[in-house]
Amino acid sequence: MVLPDPDPRAAHRLLAVHAATGLVAGMSSLTPGNGGAIGIQLAPDFRGRGLGTELVEATARLGHEHLGLESVSAGTETSNHRCRGALEAAGFVECEGPALHTLPDGRVVDSAWYEHESAGTARCAGVPAAAVTRV
């Protein structure tokens, strides 16, 4: 599910829903104006099942095949081996980036950066802002 935003600079989000239970299993975001920065979050009960890799792959495809981005990137704590494994399994490769990153909660962590590139990009027309209903 893509949750569109009328602001073209805003993050695009994908919501992962567990089909059998209808529970939200995770979410990803992709911010085109921030170099195609990807972020993902998984609910604790859904970690370790390969969903992180699927979510990262889907988010990269969103950037390449719908937003026309040749490159997308993601950063993670250097000690987050599961996230690093998911990024690598999704075809991301390590790249240069800031050694330290400040998280939303104010913590400063050592960081590792990854990128995913694609020469075959496309840009969709998107959903008109008038068609988006907000509750």
Side-chain angles (χ1 to χ4, degrees):
M1 169 189 299
V2 177
L3 306 175
D5 191 304
D7 182 351
R9 297 164 298 170
H12 297 263
R13 292 177 178 80
L14 296 177
L15 191 62
V17 177
H18 186 253
T21 63
L23 295 174
V24 173
M27 184 196 83
S28 68
S29 63
L30 188 150
T31 308
N34 190 19
I38 290 176
I40 68 166
Q41 298 173 333
L42 293 177
D45 289 346
F46 294 96
R47 294 178 185 160
R49 300 182 186 187
L51 178 60
T53 299
E54 278 189 64
L55 198 49
V56 170
E57 286 174 343
T59 309
R61 280 196 319 271
L62 173 68
H64 298 316
E65 298 173 13
H66 297 279
L67 302 177
L69 301 174
E70 289 183 10
S71 179
V72 294
S73 63
T76 186
E77 290 185 57
T78 54
S79 62
N80 190 339
H81 300 291
R82 281 189 167 177
C83 184
R84 294 179 78 165
L87 289 165
E88 291 168 4
F92 281 68
V93 295
E94 283 194 69
C95 65
E96 294 294 319
L100 299 175
H101 179 69
T102 303
L103 298 172
D105 66 5
R107 286 187 305 132
V108 177
V109 297
D110 291 327
S111 57
W113 295 90
Y114 291 81
E115 68 183 353
H116 190 277
E117 296 185 349
S118 175
T121 63
R123 183 158 188 83
C124 295
V127 178
V132 177
T133 303
R134 302 243 181 244
V135 206

